[in-house]
C-alpha cells in the first residue's frame, strides 16, 4: 500500500481546486522512453541535431523522420493506471487541471478534462511560415517519398508542435499553469524531476500560496525538501490507491 498521509487525503477531500504537474516519469510507465534516463531517447542522438530550429533547417528530413518515429512510439503506447487515476480524481473534486511537461497526448487520451501542455503535443504539426496546422498523414507521405514535408498552402517547412531547445514555452500555456497553481488548495507533482524551469518552480510557488503540496516519485527530486509530503513509488501504483482513499472518505 502506498505510504501517503491521512492529511493528504483529507486535504483532497476538502479541496476546491487541485492542480497536478506531470513529467516524463508517468509516461515512462506507459513504455515511452525518457530523455534523461539511461536508455532514453537522447542517448542515440545529439539533441542539438534534432531539437532546435537551426538543426531542423539544416536537415529537415532527419528531424521530421525522427519525430515521426517518436510519434509512432507514442501512438503505440496507452495511458497507464496513473493517467486514468488522475482522470478519475476529477469526479471527486470540484475543479482540477493537469499541467504536463509531456508531449505524448496520454492525459487527453485518458480523458482528463483540463490538460495544459507546456511543451506542446507531438501528434500535431504546423507550418513554420504561415502556421497552418498540417496533419500527420501529409508529413508521413512526404517522408515516405524522401522529401521534407511542406505546407500545402505556402510551401513552408512543417515542424512538430513541440517546444525545442532555445524556444520559449507558449505564453498562454504558462499563464494557465500559473493560474491553476495560484488557485490550488492541493498541488500534486507526479513523475517529474522538478529540475527544468519554469515548470520546476510551480510546486514551490503552490506551497508559498498556501496549497498542500505532495509529490509522487520513486526518487528524490529538485523540490523534495521544499514541499509537504513525498510518496515514494510509481504513479501507476500510488495514484489509484490515493483516489480510492479519497472516494472512500467521501462515502456517506
Amino acid at each position: 500500500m502506498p505510504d501517503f498521509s491521512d492529511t493528504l487525503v483529507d486535504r483532497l477531500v476538502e479541496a476546491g481546486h487541485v492542480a497536478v504537474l506531470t513529467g516524463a516519469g508517468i509516461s515512462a510507465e506507459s513504455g515511452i522512453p525518457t530523455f534523461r534516463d539511461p536508455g532514453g531517447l537522447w542517448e542515440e542522438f545529439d539533441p542539438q541535431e534534432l531539437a532546435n530550429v537551426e538543426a531542423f533547417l539544416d536537415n529537415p528530413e532527419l528531424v521530421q523522420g525522427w519525430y515521426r518515429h517518436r510519434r509512432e512510439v507514442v501512438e503505440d503506447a496507452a495511458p497507464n493506471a496513473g493517467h486514468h487515476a488522475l482522470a478519475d480524481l476529477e469526479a471527486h473534486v470540484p475543479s482540477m487541471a493537469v499541467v504536463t511537461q509531456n508531449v505524448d497526448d496520454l492525459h487527453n487520451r485518458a480523458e482528463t478534462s483540463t490538460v495544459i501542455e507546456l511543451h506542446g503535443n507531438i501528434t500535431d504539426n504546423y507550418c513554420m511560415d504561415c502556421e497552418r496546422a498540417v496533419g500527420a498523414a501529409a508529413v508521413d507521405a512526404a517522408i515516405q517519398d524522401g522529401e521534407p514535408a511542406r505546407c500545402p498552402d505556402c510551401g513552408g517547412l512543417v515542424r512538430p508542435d513541440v517546444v525545442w531547445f532555445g524556444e520559449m514555452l507558449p505564453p498562454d500555456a504558462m499563464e494557465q499553469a500559473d493560474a491553476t497553481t495560484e488557485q490550488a488548495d492541493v498541488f500534486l507533482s507526479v513523475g517529474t524531476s522538478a529540475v527544468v524551469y519554469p515548470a520546476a518552480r510551480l510546486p514551490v510557488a503552490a506551497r508559498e500560496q498556501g496549497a498542500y503540496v505532495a509529490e509522487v516519485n520513486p526518487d528524490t527530486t529538485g523540490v523534495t525538501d521544499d514541499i509537504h509530503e513525498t510518496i515514494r513509488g510509481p504513479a501507476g501504483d500510488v495514484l489509484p490507491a490515493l483516489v480510492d482513499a479519497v472516494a472512500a472518505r467521501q462515502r456517506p
Side-chain angles (χ1 to χ4, degrees), residues 139-181:
V139 175
D140 292 349
I143 293 171
Q144 190 74 26
D145 292 339
E147 299 289 338
R150 293 188 176 275
C151 175
D153 284 349
C154 73
L157 286 168
V158 174
R159 60 165 287 176
D161 191 4
V162 298
V163 177
W164 280 338
F165 290 106
E167 295 183 326
M168 300 293 290
L169 298 187
D172 57 340
M174 201 63 234
E175 288 174 9
Q176 292 174 49
D178 286 336
T180 195
T181 298

Side-chain angles (χ1 to χ4, degrees), residues 43-115:
E43 195 167 71
E44 287 185 58
F45 300 99
D46 178 356
Q48 298 305 317
E49 293 179 3
L50 298 167
N52 68 68
V53 171
E54 292 77 13
F56 175 64
L57 294 176
D58 286 342
N59 196 339
E61 297 97 329
L62 172 66
V63 175
Q64 288 175 345
W66 188 69
Y67 274 92
R68 178 195 187 193
H69 166 70
R70 285 189 58 199
R71 176 164 45 80
E72 289 172 343
V73 170
V74 164
E75 289 171 348
D76 287 341
N80 61 58
H83 295 104
H84 288 299
L86 289 176
D88 292 343
L89 182 58
E90 291 183 321
H92 302 285
V93 296
S95 174
M96 179 176 144
V98 171
V99 180
T100 187
Q101 297 168 283
N102 302 328
V103 298
D104 50 44
D105 202 43
L106 291 181
H107 287 297
N108 292 315
R109 288 164 58 190
E111 299 186 357
T112 294
S113 296
T114 302
V115 181

Side-chain angles (χ1 to χ4, degrees), residues 188-251:
L188 302 177
S189 179
V190 179
T192 174
S193 58
V195 296
V196 178
Y197 283 80
R201 67 173 169 77
L202 295 177
V204 176
R207 178 167 185 172
E208 290 173 347
Q209 292 160 7
Y212 188 86
V213 183
E215 70 172 352
V216 177
N217 204 300
D219 306 307
T220 299
T221 76
V223 297
T224 297
D225 294 335
D226 300 314
I227 60 176
H228 295 99
E229 179 173 349
T230 295
I231 305 105
R232 289 278 173 255
D237 292 341
V238 174
L239 293 177
L242 180 59
V243 174
D244 286 347
V246 171
R249 194 73 58 86
Q250 290 177 328
R251 292 190 189 109

